[in-house]
Amino acid sequence: MPSEFELIRRYFAGPTPQAVLGPGDDCALLAPTAGCELAISTDMLVAGTHFLADTDPCQLGWKALAVNLSDLAAMGAVPRWALLACSLPDARPAWLESFSQGLHRCASRYGVDLVGGDTTRGPLNLCLTVLGEVPAGAALRRDRAVAGDDLWVSGQPGLAALGLAQLQGQVALSEVLSMRCLAALHQPLPRVELGLELRRRLLAHAAIDVSDGLLADLGHVLERSDVGAEVFAAQLPSLPVGVDPGLARACQLTGGDDYELVFSASPDKRYELAALAAELDLPLWRFGRIVAATADRLTLLDETGQALAINGKGFDHFG
């Protein structure tokens, strides 16, 4: 069994061309780009809470980094560096080889250097910290939505939650749909390219990634911007065929773990956003609008304009 430092050298150390000094010293040394602000985020993935004990380690390595990169995407930041702190119950070479392969594959896909971290023995717990760069004053934020904005969401929110529901025995999905949902759950694609283009082209006012549920995360934007929203159920992405519509809609609205982007934009940006969706080959759905703040903040409307009940609030570790 490898020692702590052999483990780091064998599975996690590697070239760090974007760093002045990478792993191996007390600190990494980084040189931010002139005129840029640093965007920094950290997330933990805990066995039994964020992933099942038998999750494929290669997929877990990808996801551990991808969910953090999604935070950078939501702010229009360019990913640059990452640090991994983890506790491991043991140092099984086969598991570590597979996990590190997934981690490095995700890092390579998004241009990230792994510049440091820490390992210790304990219950399986993965904590990634990511750093990105954004031109000073240009970051997408949660507090910039204004009344009159359209609301947009990328991709197909709800698939990851359906995949989890299948793993928990709550639903039986067709083979094709199961593959899509489990891929969304285990290997999410952070919408880095979308976030960068929304920021570069000045297309979005406010943005957030969907980690705890579409309505829950939209609620953070509404609170920070002191506005309300009307969500039109008929304009949300089509629900998967062959699944109970109530379950599918609940997964879409409150399921979480999608890592899509929700953003607000002026109505005069609709043509440009349609062109961007085609350019990125990524569906963008206009599903609501920002309104003046109301007591409830958010209203879900059916195709006739009647208010629908909202069941569930999204994921909350302490809720």
Side-chain angles (χ1 to χ4, degrees), residues 202-260:
L202 304 178
L203 294 177
H205 288 154
I208 192 171
D209 76 321
V210 181
S211 56
D212 296 328
L214 189 153
L215 295 186
D217 289 311
L218 172 58
H220 298 315
V221 172
L222 304 183
E223 181 179 5
R224 293 283 292 167
S225 297
D226 194 23
V227 292
E230 293 177 342
V231 171
F232 309 125
Q235 293 179 206
L236 287 162
S238 301
L239 299 176
V241 176
V243 181
D244 174 72
L247 173 63
R249 184 67 83 194
C251 288
Q252 184 180 74
L253 294 177
T254 64
D257 229 14
D258 290 302
Y259 305 101
E260 298 292 349

Tab-separated table of all heavy atoms in Angstrom, residues 202-260:
chain	number	residue	atom	x	y	z
A	202	LEU	N	-21.975	39.787	-23.448
A	202	LEU	CA	-22.865	40.642	-22.653
A	202	LEU	C	-24.324	40.246	-22.849
A	202	LEU	O	-25.210	41.082	-23.025
A	202	LEU	CB	-22.660	42.121	-23.030
A	202	LEU	CG	-21.233	42.654	-22.901
A	202	LEU	CD1	-21.176	44.114	-23.352
A	202	LEU	CD2	-20.720	42.512	-21.474
A	203	LEU	N	-24.588	38.940	-22.776
A	203	LEU	CA	-25.936	38.436	-23.043
A	203	LEU	C	-26.771	38.248	-21.781
A	203	LEU	O	-28.002	38.240	-21.868
A	203	LEU	CB	-25.852	37.092	-23.784
A	203	LEU	CG	-25.261	37.139	-25.193
A	203	LEU	CD1	-25.172	35.733	-25.781
A	203	LEU	CD2	-26.107	38.028	-26.092
A	204	ALA	N	-26.145	38.073	-20.636
A	204	ALA	CA	-26.888	37.760	-19.410
A	204	ALA	C	-26.694	38.843	-18.365
A	204	ALA	O	-25.630	39.455	-18.275
A	204	ALA	CB	-26.445	36.411	-18.854
A	205	HIS	N	-27.733	39.067	-17.580
A	205	HIS	CA	-27.629	39.975	-16.436
A	205	HIS	C	-27.210	39.220	-15.178
A	205	HIS	O	-26.308	39.640	-14.464
A	205	HIS	CB	-28.968	40.670	-16.195
A	205	HIS	CG	-29.304	41.706	-17.215
A	205	HIS	ND1	-30.595	42.081	-17.510
A	205	HIS	CD2	-28.505	42.445	-18.036
A	205	HIS	CE1	-30.577	43.013	-18.450
A	205	HIS	NE2	-29.324	43.244	-18.789
A	206	ALA	N	-27.887	38.118	-14.880
A	206	ALA	CA	-27.601	37.329	-13.674
A	206	ALA	C	-27.563	35.857	-14.056
A	206	ALA	O	-28.186	35.443	-15.035
A	206	ALA	CB	-28.671	37.573	-12.610
A	207	ALA	N	-26.824	35.062	-13.287
A	207	ALA	CA	-26.722	33.632	-13.590
A	207	ALA	C	-26.428	32.843	-12.321
A	207	ALA	O	-25.901	33.375	-11.338
A	207	ALA	CB	-25.631	33.379	-14.632
A	208	ILE	N	-26.760	31.549	-12.385
A	208	ILE	CA	-26.485	30.614	-11.290
A	208	ILE	C	-26.483	29.220	-11.888
A	208	ILE	O	-27.128	28.978	-12.918
A	208	ILE	CB	-27.559	30.732	-10.177
A	208	ILE	CG1	-27.138	29.985	-8.911
A	208	ILE	CG2	-28.929	30.255	-10.671
A	208	ILE	CD1	-28.051	30.252	-7.712
A	209	ASP	N	-25.748	28.292	-11.266
A	209	ASP	CA	-25.815	26.912	-11.750
A	209	ASP	C	-26.853	26.143	-10.928
A	209	ASP	O	-27.157	26.495	-9.792
A	209	ASP	CB	-24.447	26.236	-11.729
A	209	ASP	CG	-23.988	25.826	-10.340
A	209	ASP	OD1	-24.237	26.594	-9.384
A	209	ASP	OD2	-23.378	24.757	-10.204
A	210	VAL	N	-27.407	25.111	-11.556
A	210	VAL	CA	-28.478	24.332	-10.918
A	210	VAL	C	-27.845	23.134	-10.218
A	210	VAL	O	-27.549	22.121	-10.842
A	210	VAL	CB	-29.523	23.870	-11.949
A	210	VAL	CG1	-30.636	23.083	-11.246
A	210	VAL	CG2	-30.126	25.061	-12.679
A	211	SER	N	-27.634	23.275	-8.917
A	211	SER	CA	-27.076	22.175	-8.137
A	211	SER	C	-28.101	21.606	-7.160
A	211	SER	O	-28.115	20.401	-6.901
A	211	SER	CB	-25.831	22.638	-7.370
A	211	SER	OG	-26.130	23.762	-6.556
A	212	ASP	N	-28.967	22.439	-6.619
A	212	ASP	CA	-29.934	22.011	-5.605
A	212	ASP	C	-31.369	21.929	-6.127
A	212	ASP	O	-32.276	21.599	-5.371
A	212	ASP	CB	-29.896	22.965	-4.408
A	212	ASP	CG	-28.558	22.930	-3.690
A	212	ASP	OD1	-27.928	21.853	-3.668
A	212	ASP	OD2	-28.125	23.965	-3.178
A	213	GLY	N	-31.581	22.251	-7.390
A	213	GLY	CA	-32.919	22.250	-7.963
A	213	GLY	C	-33.183	23.555	-8.673
A	213	GLY	O	-32.799	24.630	-8.198
A	214	LEU	N	-33.857	23.495	-9.824
A	214	LEU	CA	-34.064	24.677	-10.649
A	214	LEU	C	-34.757	25.789	-9.871
A	214	LEU	O	-34.301	26.941	-9.877
A	214	LEU	CB	-34.867	24.300	-11.895
A	214	LEU	CG	-35.009	25.347	-12.996
A	214	LEU	CD1	-35.218	24.661	-14.349
A	214	LEU	CD2	-36.157	26.310	-12.750
A	215	LEU	N	-35.865	25.480	-9.192
A	215	LEU	CA	-36.600	26.524	-8.479
A	215	LEU	C	-35.833	27.019	-7.260
A	215	LEU	O	-35.843	28.222	-6.957
A	215	LEU	CB	-37.980	26.010	-8.055
A	215	LEU	CG	-38.948	25.660	-9.191
A	215	LEU	CD1	-40.319	25.296	-8.621
A	215	LEU	CD2	-39.082	26.795	-10.200
A	216	ALA	N	-35.153	26.113	-6.560
A	216	ALA	CA	-34.386	26.524	-5.384
A	216	ALA	C	-33.256	27.465	-5.776
A	216	ALA	O	-33.031	28.498	-5.132
A	216	ALA	CB	-33.836	25.302	-4.665
A	217	ASP	N	-32.538	27.125	-6.828
A	217	ASP	CA	-31.411	27.967	-7.230
A	217	ASP	C	-31.885	29.265	-7.870
A	217	ASP	O	-31.280	30.326	-7.646
A	217	ASP	CB	-30.489	27.184	-8.162
A	217	ASP	CG	-29.728	26.101	-7.406
A	217	ASP	OD1	-29.149	26.422	-6.356
A	217	ASP	OD2	-29.731	24.940	-7.846
A	218	LEU	N	-32.976	29.224	-8.630
A	218	LEU	CA	-33.567	30.459	-9.122
A	218	LEU	C	-33.949	31.356	-7.950
A	218	LEU	O	-33.785	32.582	-8.008
A	218	LEU	CB	-34.797	30.152	-9.982
A	218	LEU	CG	-35.640	31.351	-10.421
A	218	LEU	CD1	-34.811	32.361	-11.213
A	218	LEU	CD2	-36.850	30.882	-11.227
A	219	GLY	N	-34.427	30.748	-6.873
A	219	GLY	CA	-34.793	31.529	-5.694
A	219	GLY	C	-33.633	32.329	-5.126
A	219	GLY	O	-33.828	33.435	-4.608
A	220	HIS	N	-32.416	31.810	-5.239
A	220	HIS	CA	-31.245	32.565	-4.762
A	220	HIS	C	-31.039	33.827	-5.598
A	220	HIS	O	-30.679	34.875	-5.063
A	220	HIS	CB	-30.002	31.685	-4.816
A	220	HIS	CG	-30.059	30.469	-3.951
A	220	HIS	ND1	-30.512	30.505	-2.659
A	220	HIS	CD2	-29.718	29.178	-4.210
A	220	HIS	CE1	-30.442	29.283	-2.131
A	220	HIS	NE2	-29.971	28.468	-3.063
A	221	VAL	N	-31.256	33.706	-6.900
A	221	VAL	CA	-31.136	34.884	-7.779
A	221	VAL	C	-32.194	35.915	-7.411
A	221	VAL	O	-31.908	37.111	-7.308
A	221	VAL	CB	-31.276	34.477	-9.258
A	221	VAL	CG1	-31.349	35.711	-10.156
A	221	VAL	CG2	-30.110	33.587	-9.677
A	222	LEU	N	-33.417	35.448	-7.186
A	222	LEU	CA	-34.505	36.374	-6.862
A	222	LEU	C	-34.224	37.103	-5.553
A	222	LEU	O	-34.462	38.316	-5.439
A	222	LEU	CB	-35.828	35.605	-6.772
A	222	LEU	CG	-36.231	34.795	-8.010
A	222	LEU	CD1	-37.601	34.160	-7.798
A	222	LEU	CD2	-36.231	35.656	-9.265
A	223	GLU	N	-33.739	36.362	-4.564
A	223	GLU	CA	-33.446	36.982	-3.275
A	223	GLU	C	-32.308	37.997	-3.392
A	223	GLU	O	-32.405	39.118	-2.887
A	223	GLU	CB	-33.086	35.907	-2.254
A	223	GLU	CG	-32.774	36.461	-0.870
A	223	GLU	CD	-32.434	35.379	0.134
A	223	GLU	OE1	-32.356	34.196	-0.263
A	223	GLU	OE2	-32.230	35.716	1.313
A	224	ARG	N	-31.224	37.604	-4.064
A	224	ARG	CA	-30.069	38.490	-4.176
A	224	ARG	C	-30.370	39.724	-5.022
A	224	ARG	O	-29.827	40.800	-4.776
A	224	ARG	CB	-28.896	37.731	-4.787
A	224	ARG	CG	-28.347	36.629	-3.904
A	224	ARG	CD	-27.492	37.162	-2.788
A	224	ARG	NE	-26.243	37.735	-3.300
A	224	ARG	CZ	-25.416	38.479	-2.600
A	224	ARG	NH1	-25.701	38.749	-1.326
A	224	ARG	NH2	-24.306	38.950	-3.131
A	225	SER	N	-31.251	39.579	-6.009
A	225	SER	CA	-31.589	40.701	-6.892
A	225	SER	C	-32.803	41.476	-6.409
A	225	SER	O	-33.149	42.511	-6.981
A	225	SER	CB	-31.860	40.186	-8.318
A	225	SER	OG	-30.721	39.585	-8.881
A	226	ASP	N	-33.483	40.958	-5.356
A	226	ASP	CA	-34.694	41.571	-4.809
A	226	ASP	C	-35.754	41.750	-5.882
A	226	ASP	O	-36.297	42.834	-6.092
A	226	ASP	CB	-34.387	42.914	-4.137
A	226	ASP	CG	-35.559	43.405	-3.282
A	226	ASP	OD1	-36.370	42.556	-2.860
A	226	ASP	OD2	-35.662	44.630	-3.058
A	227	VAL	N	-36.053	40.645	-6.580
A	227	VAL	CA	-37.081	40.626	-7.617
A	227	VAL	C	-37.921	39.366	-7.435
A	227	VAL	O	-37.646	38.532	-6.567
A	227	VAL	CB	-36.456	40.652	-9.025
A	227	VAL	CG1	-35.772	41.985	-9.299
A	227	VAL	CG2	-35.485	39.488	-9.221
A	228	GLY	N	-38.953	39.241	-8.267
A	228	GLY	CA	-39.755	38.033	-8.304
A	228	GLY	C	-39.653	37.386	-9.669
A	228	GLY	O	-38.951	37.883	-10.560
A	229	ALA	N	-40.356	36.277	-9.847
A	229	ALA	CA	-40.320	35.586	-11.141
A	229	ALA	C	-41.640	34.876	-11.393
A	229	ALA	O	-42.294	34.403	-10.462
A	229	ALA	CB	-39.178	34.585	-11.190
A	230	GLU	N	-41.993	34.813	-12.664
A	230	GLU	CA	-43.087	33.970	-13.141
A	230	GLU	C	-42.466	32.887	-14.008
A	230	GLU	O	-41.733	33.185	-14.954
A	230	GLU	CB	-44.093	34.786	-13.943
A	230	GLU	CG	-44.852	35.802	-13.106
A	230	GLU	CD	-45.805	36.649	-13.931
A	230	GLU	OE1	-45.645	36.688	-15.172
A	230	GLU	OE2	-46.711	37.263	-13.343
A	231	VAL	N	-42.744	31.632	-13.656
A	231	VAL	CA	-42.233	30.489	-14.407
A	231	VAL	C	-43.393	29.844	-15.137
A	231	VAL	O	-44.432	29.546	-14.526
A	231	VAL	CB	-41.560	29.469	-13.458
A	231	VAL	CG1	-41.215	28.174	-14.192
A	231	VAL	CG2	-40.308	30.080	-12.841
A	232	PHE	N	-43.234	29.633	-16.438
A	232	PHE	CA	-44.300	29.086	-17.272
A	232	PHE	C	-44.022	27.603	-17.509
A	232	PHE	O	-43.091	27.240	-18.233
A	232	PHE	CB	-44.369	29.832	-18.602
A	232	PHE	CG	-44.435	31.335	-18.442
A	232	PHE	CD1	-43.510	32.150	-19.077
A	232	PHE	CD2	-45.407	31.918	-17.636
A	232	PHE	CE1	-43.566	33.522	-18.930
A	232	PHE	CE2	-45.464	33.285	-17.475
A	232	PHE	CZ	-44.542	34.101	-18.126
A	233	ALA	N	-44.847	26.753	-16.891
A	233	ALA	CA	-44.621	25.307	-16.967
A	233	ALA	C	-44.586	24.816	-18.407
A	233	ALA	O	-43.795	23.930	-18.748
A	233	ALA	CB	-45.712	24.572	-16.180
A	234	ALA	N	-45.420	25.404	-19.266
A	234	ALA	CA	-45.503	24.946	-20.654
A	234	ALA	C	-44.253	25.276	-21.449
A	234	ALA	O	-44.034	24.712	-22.527
A	234	ALA	CB	-46.732	25.558	-21.335
A	235	GLN	N	-43.408	26.199	-20.968
A	235	GLN	CA	-42.204	26.585	-21.693
A	235	GLN	C	-40.949	25.913	-21.155
A	235	GLN	O	-39.855	26.136	-21.676
A	235	GLN	CB	-42.039	28.108	-21.654
A	235	GLN	CG	-43.112	28.844	-22.424
A	235	GLN	CD	-42.954	30.359	-22.372
A	235	GLN	OE1	-43.926	31.107	-22.502
A	235	GLN	NE2	-41.745	30.827	-22.171
A	236	LEU	N	-41.098	25.078	-20.136
A	236	LEU	CA	-39.964	24.309	-19.636
A	236	LEU	C	-39.622	23.203	-20.629
A	236	LEU	O	-40.439	22.847	-21.483
A	236	LEU	CB	-40.300	23.711	-18.275
A	236	LEU	CG	-40.346	24.704	-17.116
A	236	LEU	CD1	-41.096	24.102	-15.933
A	236	LEU	CD2	-38.932	25.113	-16.706
A	237	PRO	N	-38.421	22.653	-20.578
A	237	PRO	CA	-38.061	21.554	-21.487
A	237	PRO	C	-39.076	20.430	-21.425
A	237	PRO	O	-39.646	20.127	-20.373
A	237	PRO	CB	-36.691	21.110	-20.974
A	237	PRO	CG	-36.127	22.317	-20.302
A	237	PRO	CD	-37.298	23.032	-19.692
A	238	SER	N	-39.302	19.789	-22.567
A	238	SER	CA	-40.249	18.678	-22.630
A	238	SER	C	-39.841	17.581	-21.663
A	238	SER	O	-38.656	17.279	-21.505
A	238	SER	CB	-40.301	18.113	-24.054
A	238	SER	OG	-40.685	19.112	-24.981
A	239	LEU	N	-40.832	16.977	-21.024
A	239	LEU	CA	-40.555	15.895	-20.082
A	239	LEU	C	-40.251	14.604	-20.834
A	239	LEU	O	-40.779	14.378	-21.921
A	239	LEU	CB	-41.758	15.684	-19.157
A	239	LEU	CG	-42.144	16.878	-18.280
A	239	LEU	CD1	-43.406	16.560	-17.486
A	239	LEU	CD2	-41.008	17.264	-17.338
A	240	PRO	N	-39.386	13.752	-20.281
A	240	PRO	CA	-39.065	12.484	-20.940
A	240	PRO	C	-40.313	11.631	-21.148
A	240	PRO	O	-41.190	11.565	-20.286
A	240	PRO	CB	-38.092	11.811	-19.974
A	240	PRO	CG	-37.518	12.925	-19.165
A	240	PRO	CD	-38.619	13.937	-19.040
A	241	VAL	N	-40.382	10.974	-22.281
A	241	VAL	CA	-41.514	10.103	-22.608
A	241	VAL	C	-41.394	8.803	-21.821
A	241	VAL	O	-40.294	8.283	-21.603
A	241	VAL	CB	-41.532	9.811	-24.121
A	241	VAL	CG1	-42.657	8.825	-24.459
A	241	VAL	CG2	-41.688	11.099	-24.916
A	242	GLY	N	-42.529	8.310	-21.370
A	242	GLY	CA	-42.556	7.015	-20.692
A	242	GLY	C	-42.303	7.086	-19.204
A	242	GLY	O	-42.147	6.046	-18.554
A	243	VAL	N	-42.259	8.298	-18.642
A	243	VAL	CA	-42.060	8.481	-17.211
A	243	VAL	C	-43.290	9.185	-16.636
A	243	VAL	O	-43.875	10.055	-17.295
A	243	VAL	CB	-40.799	9.326	-16.920
A	243	VAL	CG1	-40.586	9.489	-15.419
A	243	VAL	CG2	-39.582	8.691	-17.566
A	244	ASP	N	-43.689	8.812	-15.441
A	244	ASP	CA	-44.815	9.481	-14.792
A	244	ASP	C	-44.601	10.987	-14.828
A	244	ASP	O	-43.571	11.481	-14.333
A	244	ASP	CB	-44.937	9.015	-13.348
A	244	ASP	CG	-46.006	9.783	-12.588
A	244	ASP	OD1	-47.191	9.564	-12.849
A	244	ASP	OD2	-45.621	10.631	-11.746
A	245	PRO	N	-45.537	11.752	-15.432
A	245	PRO	CA	-45.319	13.199	-15.586
A	245	PRO	C	-45.106	13.924	-14.261
A	245	PRO	O	-44.327	14.877	-14.191
A	245	PRO	CB	-46.603	13.679	-16.279
A	245	PRO	CG	-47.149	12.471	-16.963
A	245	PRO	CD	-46.793	11.316	-16.074
A	246	GLY	N	-45.782	13.484	-13.209
A	246	GLY	CA	-45.613	14.138	-11.919
A	246	GLY	C	-44.204	13.970	-11.385
A	246	GLY	O	-43.590	14.927	-10.894
A	247	LEU	N	-43.665	12.753	-11.480
A	247	LEU	CA	-42.302	12.506	-11.026
A	247	LEU	C	-41.309	13.264	-11.902
A	247	LEU	O	-40.368	13.886	-11.396
A	247	LEU	CB	-42.003	11.011	-11.070
A	247	LEU	CG	-40.547	10.624	-10.771
A	247	LEU	CD1	-40.156	11.019	-9.349
A	247	LEU	CD2	-40.327	9.122	-10.999
A	248	ALA	N	-41.518	13.208	-13.211
A	248	ALA	CA	-40.590	13.886	-14.129
A	248	ALA	C	-40.575	15.391	-13.874
A	248	ALA	O	-39.510	16.020	-13.882
A	248	ALA	CB	-40.977	13.583	-15.573
A	249	ARG	N	-41.762	15.976	-13.649
A	249	ARG	CA	-41.816	17.420	-13.392
A	249	ARG	C	-41.175	17.761	-12.055
A	249	ARG	O	-40.463	18.763	-11.942
A	249	ARG	CB	-43.267	17.906	-13.421
A	249	ARG	CG	-43.405	19.410	-13.264
A	249	ARG	CD	-42.840	20.155	-14.473
A	249	ARG	NE	-43.811	20.215	-15.559
A	249	ARG	CZ	-43.500	20.569	-16.808
A	249	ARG	NH1	-42.257	20.881	-17.124
A	249	ARG	NH2	-44.426	20.599	-17.739
A	250	ALA	N	-41.390	16.921	-11.048
A	250	ALA	CA	-40.755	17.168	-9.750
A	250	ALA	C	-39.238	17.112	-9.870
A	250	ALA	O	-38.521	17.939	-9.295
A	250	ALA	CB	-41.253	16.154	-8.728
A	251	CYS	N	-38.722	16.144	-10.613
A	251	CYS	CA	-37.278	16.050	-10.826
A	251	CYS	C	-36.761	17.287	-11.546
A	251	CYS	O	-35.696	17.825	-11.222
A	251	CYS	CB	-36.937	14.795	-11.631
A	251	CYS	SG	-37.111	13.244	-10.711
A	252	GLN	N	-37.522	17.764	-12.522
A	252	GLN	CA	-37.113	18.930	-13.301
A	252	GLN	C	-37.075	20.201	-12.465
A	252	GLN	O	-36.161	21.017	-12.585
A	252	GLN	CB	-38.076	19.113	-14.474
A	252	GLN	CG	-37.718	20.235	-15.420
A	252	GLN	CD	-38.719	20.343	-16.549
A	252	GLN	OE1	-39.849	20.806	-16.347
A	252	GLN	NE2	-38.334	19.904	-17.728
A	253	LEU	N	-38.042	20.370	-11.601
A	253	LEU	CA	-38.156	21.617	-10.840
A	253	LEU	C	-37.348	21.612	-9.546
A	253	LEU	O	-36.855	22.662	-9.125
A	253	LEU	CB	-39.622	21.900	-10.517
A	253	LEU	CG	-40.542	22.197	-11.698
A	253	LEU	CD1	-41.978	22.378	-11.215
A	253	LEU	CD2	-40.083	23.432	-12.455
A	254	THR	N	-37.226	20.461	-8.895
A	254	THR	CA	-36.623	20.442	-7.552
A	254	THR	C	-35.537	19.389	-7.377
A	254	THR	O	-34.991	19.259	-6.300
A	254	THR	CB	-37.712	20.217	-6.481
A	254	THR	OG1	-38.304	18.921	-6.657
A	254	THR	CG2	-38.806	21.274	-6.578
A	255	GLY	N	-35.234	18.635	-8.438
A	255	GLY	CA	-34.329	17.499	-8.288
A	255	GLY	C	-32.883	17.843	-8.013
A	255	GLY	O	-32.227	17.234	-7.197
A	256	GLY	N	-32.345	18.799	-8.719
A	256	GLY	CA	-30.953	19.191	-8.511
A	256	GLY	C	-29.954	18.251	-9.155
A	256	GLY	O	-30.316	17.280	-9.825
A	257	ASP	N	-28.672	18.552	-8.936
A	257	ASP	CA	-27.540	17.771	-9.443
A	257	ASP	C	-27.415	17.833	-10.964
A	257	ASP	O	-26.781	16.967	-11.567
A	257	ASP	CB	-27.636	16.312	-8.993
A	257	ASP	CG	-26.339	15.800	-8.390
A	257	ASP	OD1	-25.448	16.622	-8.077
A	257	ASP	OD2	-26.198	14.574	-8.238
A	258	ASP	N	-28.012	18.859	-11.574
A	258	ASP	CA	-27.970	18.974	-13.040
A	258	ASP	C	-26.745	19.733	-13.531
A	258	ASP	O	-26.212	19.433	-14.589
A	258	ASP	CB	-29.214	19.709	-13.548
A	258	ASP	CG	-30.473	18.892	-13.392
A	258	ASP	OD1	-30.519	17.788	-13.944
A	258	ASP	OD2	-31.399	19.359	-12.704
A	259	TYR	N	-26.385	20.794	-12.817
A	259	TYR	CA	-25.263	21.655	-13.195
A	259	TYR	C	-25.472	22.297	-14.563
A	259	TYR	O	-24.528	22.516	-15.319
A	259	TYR	CB	-23.933	20.890	-13.077
A	259	TYR	CG	-23.815	20.328	-11.690
A	259	TYR	CD1	-24.087	18.986	-11.434
A	259	TYR	CD2	-23.542	21.166	-10.612
A	259	TYR	CE1	-24.056	18.486	-10.134
A	259	TYR	CE2	-23.507	20.678	-9.318
A	259	TYR	CZ	-23.769	19.340	-9.090
A	259	TYR	OH	-23.750	18.857	-7.807
A	260	GLU	N	-26.745	22.586	-14.862
A	260	GLU	CA	-27.075	23.463	-15.975
A	260	GLU	C	-26.998	24.902	-15.467
A	260	GLU	O	-26.858	25.145	-14.263
A	260	GLU	CB	-28.468	23.150	-16.510
A	260	GLU	CG	-28.640	21.739	-17.066
A	260	GLU	CD	-27.857	21.497	-18.341
A	260	GLU	OE1	-27.332	22.473	-18.925
A	260	GLU	OE2	-27.757	20.328	-18.754
